[in-house]
Amino acid sequence: MESSIQEALYLFEMKGDFSKAVGILEKVVSEGDIEDKEQASFYLGKIQELAGNTQSANLYYKQSLKKTSITRKAYWLSERIAATESSPETIQKNTLHLKSPILKIFEGSPSYIHLQDGNIYKIKNDSLIRVSANVANNAELLKIDNTGIWFFLPEKDSIRFKPFNNVRKAKAFALRNPKGIVTGNKKALIQGDYAIALVNKKGEQEHSSDKYNECIVESYYAPIEHFVLNCPDNALHFLSDENLSESFTISQYDAIQKVTITKDNIIFYSGGNLFCYNLLKGTEPRWKVSFNTIENIVPFEGKIAVLEASGRISLVNLNTGTPVSVTRSDADRIHPLTKGTLGLFTSEGALIVVDTLLRPLWNFNFAKPIVTAPILTDGNTYLNFDGQNLQGIAPNYYGKTPLASSLLSQQAAILAETAQWDKLTSVLDSLLKLEPGNAEAWLFKALQLENTQGKEQERQKAWAEAVRLSVSNPQVTPLILGRYGKAIGAKFVSLLNISPKTKYPQFFGSKKNLFTVDPAANRLICINAENGELRWTRTLSKMDNSPVISSDEKSLALASGFSLNIYDLSKDGKKTTIQLPGKAFNITLEPETIYISTWNGFLMKLTRPDGRLAWSRKIFDLPFLFARDDSQIITASLEGNITHLWEGSGQIKQESGRIQAGISQMTPADSAIVFATNNNRLLIYDARTPAKEPLQILMESPIASLQAFPYKGTNCVLVGLANQSLLLYTISGTPLWKFQGKSSIFSKPFVEDGLAWLDQGNEVVAISLSDGKIVHRFSTPGGAGTPFILNKTLFSASSKRLLYGFSL
């Protein structure tokens, strides 16, 4: 119908015949194919706008935008829609309510959902259409597309295919424990426990193989018509869709992860590097780029978007591997949405939508995170938050028109500033209905409760929600945290510049600097201890999943794999790297020495500050704990074997037998060593008279933390239990007091000046070492972590990356 469209344009532009041109284009809209309808709607919108009919123009522009496949056109249309739109936008649209929770979602055009009650629905025209598939209710579905359903029954002895619109019995293929299916241009590859099978479109099995039974079928690579298998030999194997013959192999030293296939390219992550291959252009990689731990890789606008665990998002050029654009966010997953937009989804329920250069277009907060990828089908977008409802959202919103929730938020701000608390209630109710996670709404609610003597529990909830939800919205974060800090009497409350994956960061300090390590981003972070603001960050060497860390006022010692890195705690301080004889298990820093024990039983002594090796000894065959006692080092294997070493040489001084229990912790206490055992016992061992039986004290719960220190001339032991109890003993075993705590993260207090500081959920408390009573409380409605004290300031960080600072 291209000629009809051209005729209509000629009539309008050259003849000025508005009605005939509109009539022809409207006929194309009703009778043409998708491309013709999009083009006709586009020109109808322009004609109607030129004629001053903005309402009609708006309607046609929206129809064109829904169908267009051209990004720049989508952005142009969004501008014209905004110019012809008189009402604000609401993000939450129609909700599809389900009678039973979702078992599985099958994306496509259209998309299908399989519910727990066995029913199958097709999502079409913003509604649910039940599919009569004649498949047993207890069947597990593997794949649904326009041809039919692949499934298996509870006996898991075969995979079956039931075509749509066919009364014939489903075809069955013998394959034990079917795991998955990938469809290609001509055939499908099915995977079972011990074999893979190739099935054609008629549902006939053609070939099978047991050679790849431990591999994962990743995808189908259309350019060469091959299936891609990821195998335990750290290689991708390419199998022909004709007969399962292997044509190509891409091998790596490390396991291959996050495999993504675009139109021509194969992208995967392995050994800290992102690789790109195009087998039409050869078997060598097109490029290789280093990345920290990658969470997500998605094709986006002819490029790929890469989300790292640190929250960094890079838009990568597929030809060169170079980043076109980079941004940081709180996102823990990313998904393309409408044409030319990428959705960044956070664990707090926020959705930040960015453009083709990762620039923010709009943001919204649903107050809860999505549990599956968005469903894009039939021109609509649905979000799955709970498996019971599918929330439709504005499918083609580009942030050009104001949001209804933003306008209500502005109205609420005026009412709050003028203290019109009575009028504020109805506005907040409407606002939270439109945007459940609006951080400003919760701020105004908290202020309202503060000024109307609302219940303490409700005030705390409002503040906690305001703070939690503000983290993903940098425009309101300073305002909310400033008000929040004032409300709880804090010196400051600031947002930590750390990765979303780093929960409850641990602090150490030097002078006026507060430090923490962000393992997800491989960074050392320096914070101004006076105001909580970031001073600087420093890139650390790549860490594995469980780095061993120790620090003091001068240095940070960080072991990952078989390497120990010692960093000077200054912005540009030098780094000393030492190779270890095994993977580090424990590190202890002393003023002039560093001690390291390894998982394979070595103990090493290094001198400071040069990091020179003084000695290295093989003590056990397994990991062990150790502690200094004057001129000797006492080592204890996790099975309870105790050995005394000369500190100067590392030679064995004497072996002291065995404790009849596994050891989980140990700490020196003057001339004694205190052990925690895995059978809930506290053992006090006399290091000067090792033949003497250790004193045993039975605990009521597993020991979570152990600290020894002098208090008022007496050596004491502070024990934190898994049941949140805190107990203080003298070194002779005399119990002094017991404190029953709650909701502590690690149950390990920070001890200073006769006080034990401990997080207790929504507060940090100071417990007197004299009697175990609480003497100070600091409110932290947003949650708190293990406290740390520096320069008469109490610091604590929540799981939401908030840093609290309280003056002492």
Side-chain angles (χ1 to χ4, degrees), residues 752 757 776 778 789-790 792-794 806-808:
E752 184 172 279
W757 293 88
H776 298 293
F778 290 102
I789 294 174
L790 179 68
K792 295 184 178 180
T793 301
L794 170 70
F806 294 97
S807 296
L808 298 179

Side-chain angles (χ1 to χ4, degrees), residues 159 235 340 451 532 593 676 700 749-750:
I159 187 168
N451 286 276
T593 53
E700 63 194 50
F750 184 90

Side-chain angles (χ1 to χ4, degrees), residues 267 274-276 285-289 304 316-321:
I267 298 103
L274 191 66
F275 292 84
C276 179
R286 298 185 70 185
W287 48 260
K288 178 181 80 170
V289 179
I304 54 168
V316 178
N317 185 306
L318 277 170
N319 293 320
T320 62

Side-chain angles (χ1 to χ4, degrees), residues 576-651:
T576 302
T577 301
I578 298 154
Q579 295 303 310
L580 305 176
K583 192 173 181 180
F585 179 71
N586 193 22
I587 303 172
T588 297
L589 294 181
E590 293 190 355
E592 297 181 355
T593 53
I594 302 174
Y595 299 95
I596 309 107
S597 68
T598 65
W599 279 83
N600 57 349
F602 279 88
L603 180 64
M604 301 174 65
K605 176 183 175 181
L606 307 176
T607 60
R608 298 181 71 177
D610 56 2
R612 184 178 57 84
L613 178 66
W615 50 258
S616 175
R617 298 284 181 264
K618 175 83 167 176
I619 311 299
F620 298 105
D621 291 324
L622 296 171
F624 62 92
L625 302 168
F626 63 90
R628 271 280 308 274
D629 175 40
D630 291 338
S631 62
Q632 65 176 341
I633 299 173
I634 294 113
T635 63
S637 71
L638 302 187
E639 287 132 342
N641 295 311
I642 297 177
T643 300
H644 293 232
L645 310 177
W646 291 109
E647 191 277 335
S649 64
Q651 299 290 345

Side-chain angles (χ1 to χ4, degrees), residues 8 11-12 16-26 44 47-48 51:
L11 287 171
F12 178 74
D17 196 332
F18 173 84
S19 58
K20 279 189 178 181
V22 169
I24 293 172
L25 290 172
E26 285 179 341
L44 277 168
I47 289 171
Q48 294 287 4

Side-chain angles (χ1 to χ4, degrees), residues 452-473:
T452 57
Q453 285 73 53
K455 294 179 181 178
E456 175 64 23
Q457 187 175 2
E458 292 181 1
R459 290 206 307 267
Q460 286 211 5
K461 179 187 176 182
W463 276 121
E465 283 296 277
V467 170
R468 177 179 76 87
L469 298 167
S470 74
V471 170
S472 301
N473 188 348

Side-chain angles (χ1 to χ4, degrees), residues 195-468:
I196 55 175
L198 192 63
V199 178
N200 63 30
K201 287 189 175 181
K202 297 178 181 179
E204 300 167 337
Q205 183 171 319
E206 292 190 353
H207 299 277
S208 63
S209 172
D210 60 2
K211 181 179 177 182
Y212 305 97
N213 62 300
E214 293 184 359
C215 301
I216 298 170
V217 184
E218 289 281 4
S219 189
Y220 181 72
Y221 187 48
I224 59 172
E225 298 182 329
H226 277 56
F227 292 98
V228 184
L229 276 65
N230 191 353
C231 298
D233 60 352
N234 299 344
L236 296 180
H237 297 257
F238 293 78
L239 308 187
S240 166
D241 68 358
E242 289 294 330
N243 53 17
L244 293 185
S245 61
E246 184 172 330
S247 305
F248 303 93
T249 302
I250 297 176
S251 298
Q252 296 294 314
Y253 289 109
D254 302 284
I256 294 176
Q257 304 168 311
K258 310 292 182 186
V259 180
T260 298
I261 294 181
T262 65
K263 181 181 177 181
D264 298 315
N265 298 286
I266 302 158
I267 298 103
F268 61 82
Y269 182 62
S270 176
N273 293 298
L274 191 66
F275 292 84
C276 179
Y277 284 80
N278 184 333
L279 294 184
L280 293 175
K281 298 181 179 180
T283 56
E284 294 298 316
R286 298 185 70 185
W287 48 260
K288 178 181 80 170
V289 179
S290 177
F291 276 92
N292 286 331
T293 304
I294 288 179
E295 295 288 314
N296 217 185
I297 303 171
V298 297
F300 179 57
E301 294 295 317
K303 305 174 184 66
I304 54 168
V306 181
L307 170 65
E308 297 174 70
S310 65
R312 187 176 79 162
I313 301 169
S314 302
L315 194 61
V316 178
N317 185 306
L318 277 170
N319 293 320
T320 62
T322 54
V324 176
S325 181
V326 177
T327 188
R328 284 198 174 273
S329 79
D330 297 326
D332 58 2
R333 56 199 303 169
I334 57 176
H335 300 284
L337 294 176
T338 195
K339 190 65 185 172
T341 67
L342 182 68
L344 318 182
F345 293 84
T346 78
S347 60
E348 303 303 329
L351 166 59
I352 299 95
V353 176
V354 298
D355 67 7
T356 53
L357 290 176
L358 305 184
R359 296 172 300 198
L361 292 173
W362 57 272
N363 63 77
F364 190 85
N365 201 310
F366 298 92
K368 52 187 177 180
I370 57 173
V371 295
T372 62
I375 302 172
L376 311 178
T377 182
D378 195 31
N380 294 302
T381 302
Y382 301 93
L383 303 181
N384 177 18
F385 294 105
D386 54 14
Q388 194 75 51
N389 302 280
L390 294 178
Q391 176 63 62
I393 64 170
N396 293 302
Y397 180 57
Y398 287 80
K400 304 300 182 182
T401 54
L403 286 177
S405 57
S406 298
L407 297 179
L408 276 178
S409 183
Q410 293 171 16
Q411 184 180 344
I414 294 171
L415 292 174
E417 288 172 5
T418 55
Q420 299 182 62
W421 307 119
D422 291 339
K423 293 182 180 180
L424 183 61
T425 300
S426 61
V427 176
L428 291 181
D429 289 343
S430 300
L431 173 53
L432 289 172
K433 187 176 181 180
L434 284 174
E435 185 177 357
N438 187 289
E440 290 175 289
W442 285 102
L443 167 65
F444 301 141
K445 192 175 187 67
L447 294 174
Q448 181 188 47
L449 291 167
E450 292 280 357
N451 286 276
T452 57
Q453 285 73 53
K455 294 179 181 178
E456 175 64 23
Q457 187 175 2
E458 292 181 1
R459 290 206 307 267
Q460 286 211 5
K461 179 187 176 182
W463 276 121
E465 283 296 277
V467 170
R468 177 179 76 87

